Amino acid sequence: MTEVNTQYVLEIPIFDVDDNFQIAKEYFKTNDKIELINKAQNSECDILSLKFNLQSPVQIAESLVMFKILLPLISKPLMISGSGNETIDRELLPSLARLVKKECIISYATENTYKDIVPSIIKSKHKLVLKTPIDINLCKELNILSADLGLPLDKIIIDTDIGGLGYGLDYGYSTIEKIKLEDDKFLNMPIISFVAQESLKIKETKSDNTNLAILCSHHFTYPFDDPIEYAKKVGQMTNMLVKLGLFRHHKAKTLMNLLKTNVLCL
């Protein structure tokens, strides 16, 4: 069995620092961008992500000036996350990528934006997150299309998307497992999952109730002949949910496990 190297990414909404989850605000206790970066630098995260949560293309120029000021302060491995708005990210992500000389991760391009973003990655040292809906075939297709534009396969990081609870989480996790089992050069890339970020959006996260129940389907595919392995998978999923912040526990020794918003499996 291949050993999985798991790294945790701490993401900070850096353009509008007030646009953050309440639990993160309580942890950082500051809205100062430089103080936020310094605290993140001293955290347990493996990679620091700056999310440029812009609301309009007219803010791009301002964000680039701000990034030039903050960039020298960052010594941890860096990930740059766009706004999630395709119109903005088409221009924003290539512009940010050109400002960084060292290798970093650019997140993310989709089937609608990859033609605009991929060319700026080809000429750099950076790696690019390619995001698709929860579907292994769509994932492979976008990888192939990006490679056809000249993007080396070793510069691709897969994000197959995931839900924060229920079928979305279960199906997303299953898709990741299927990709890991495929012997296919167009799927043999690192995988990133924004599972805790999705989990923090749901109302259950805001509850003070720390009870945990795992509901399992009794409709199994045939043949179901390995109940021990099934139980192990349920245990692994439960452990992952607790560690990644689906369940809020006020007595936790540290909030870092709740704030490590992204999981990168290499």
Side-chain angles (χ1 to χ4, degrees), residues 8 44 196 242-245 254-261:
Y8 294 96
E44 302 170 15
V242 173
K243 284 186 176 180
L244 298 182
T254 173
L255 291 177
M256 279 309 304
N257 282 336
L258 302 180
L259 299 178
K260 289 174 178 174
T261 56

Side-chain angles (χ1 to χ4, degrees), residues 169 195-196 199 210-212 214 235-249 252 254 256-259:
L169 180 64
V195 60
S199 299
T210 57
N211 293 330
L212 170 61
I214 300 295
Q236 289 172 1
M237 281 292 292
T238 306
N239 189 46
M240 181 184 74
L241 295 177
V242 173
K243 284 186 176 180
L244 298 182
L246 180 56
F247 306 105
R248 184 176 180 180
H249 199 312
T254 173
M256 279 309 304
N257 282 336
L258 302 180
L259 299 178

Side-chain angles (χ1 to χ4, degrees), residues 9-68:
V9 186
L10 175 59
E11 186 166 274
I12 301 174
I14 199 64
F15 188 78
D16 180 7
V17 295
D18 288 325
D19 180 22
N20 205 349
F21 298 108
Q22 184 59 36
I23 190 172
K25 292 180 181 179
E26 293 171 0
Y27 174 80
F28 286 112
K29 295 184 176 66
T30 181
N31 287 334
D32 182 83
K33 293 180 173 65
I34 293 178
E35 287 185 19
L36 280 172
I37 288 179
N38 288 336
K39 283 196 171 186
Q41 290 277 100
N42 295 323
S43 73
E44 302 170 15
C45 72
D46 300 299
I47 300 171
L48 173 59
S49 173
L50 300 184
K51 182 174 179 61
F52 288 79
N53 50 336
L54 282 60
Q55 300 298 321
S56 169
V58 300
Q59 298 174 313
I60 292 177
E62 181 184 351
S63 70
L64 296 177
V65 173
M66 180 197 70
F67 187 47
K68 289 179 182 178

Side-chain angles (χ1 to χ4, degrees), residues 15-240:
F15 188 78
D16 180 7
V17 295
D18 288 325
D19 180 22
N20 205 349
F21 298 108
Q22 184 59 36
I23 190 172
K25 292 180 181 179
E26 293 171 0
Y27 174 80
F28 286 112
K29 295 184 176 66
T30 181
N31 287 334
D32 182 83
K33 293 180 173 65
I34 293 178
E35 287 185 19
L36 280 172
I37 288 179
N38 288 336
K39 283 196 171 186
Q41 290 277 100
N42 295 323
S43 73
E44 302 170 15
C45 72
D46 300 299
I47 300 171
L48 173 59
S49 173
L50 300 184
K51 182 174 179 61
F52 288 79
N53 50 336
L54 282 60
Q55 300 298 321
S56 169
V58 300
Q59 298 174 313
I60 292 177
E62 181 184 351
S63 70
L64 296 177
V65 173
M66 180 197 70
F67 187 47
K68 289 179 182 178
I69 296 172
L70 298 177
L71 187 56
L73 304 176
I74 301 171
S75 58
K76 278 184 177 288
L78 177 64
M79 183 167 83
I80 298 171
S81 296
S83 65
N85 181 305
E86 292 181 344
T87 302
I88 295 174
D89 289 345
R90 281 188 176 95
E91 180 182 349
L92 173 66
L93 289 177
S95 299
L96 291 170
R98 285 190 287 268
L99 294 178
V100 186
K101 302 304 179 185
K102 67 177 183 178
E103 180 184 81
C104 72
I105 300 171
I106 306 298
S107 174
Y108 52 81
T110 67
E111 61 176 345
N112 296 323
T113 62
Y114 78 97
K115 291 182 179 178
D116 301 288
I117 298 173
V118 164
S120 64
I121 305 301
I122 294 174
K123 300 176 182 178
S124 71
K125 300 178 181 178
H126 310 323
K127 298 185 184 297
L128 178 63
V129 176
L130 296 179
K131 182 174 183 176
T132 53
I134 309 176
D135 186 294
I136 190 171
N137 294 316
L138 293 177
C139 172
K140 180 177 178 178
E141 180 183 20
L142 184 56
N143 292 346
I144 293 174
L145 291 172
S146 299
D148 288 344
L149 286 182
L151 183 65
L153 296 180
D154 61 1
K155 287 192 173 186
I156 295 176
I157 297 175
I158 294 173
D159 175 16
T160 58
D161 208 356
I162 199 164
L165 190 65
Y167 284 117
L169 180 64
D170 181 61
Y171 190 47
Y173 180 76
S174 298
T175 301
I176 292 173
E177 288 292 292
K178 290 177 183 177
I179 289 174
K180 289 162 61 178
L181 293 173
E182 290 288 326
D183 184 18
D184 191 320
K185 71 175 184 178
F186 290 108
L187 291 171
N188 188 24
M189 294 95 173
I191 300 172
I192 189 169
S193 180
F194 296 80
V195 60
Q197 190 177 93
E198 291 299 317
S199 299
L200 285 169
K201 294 177 182 179
I202 62 176
K203 64 181 181 180
E204 285 81 0
T205 309
K206 302 174 179 62
S207 172
D208 291 332
N209 188 345
T210 57
N211 293 330
L212 170 61
I214 300 295
L215 302 179
C216 303
S217 170
H218 63 278
H219 300 289
F220 302 112
T221 57
Y222 180 83
F224 180 68
D225 55 5
D226 198 349
I228 300 301
E229 189 63 27
Y230 175 76
K232 286 181 179 179
K233 283 294 182 183
V234 172
Q236 289 172 1
M237 281 292 292
T238 306
N239 189 46
M240 181 184 74

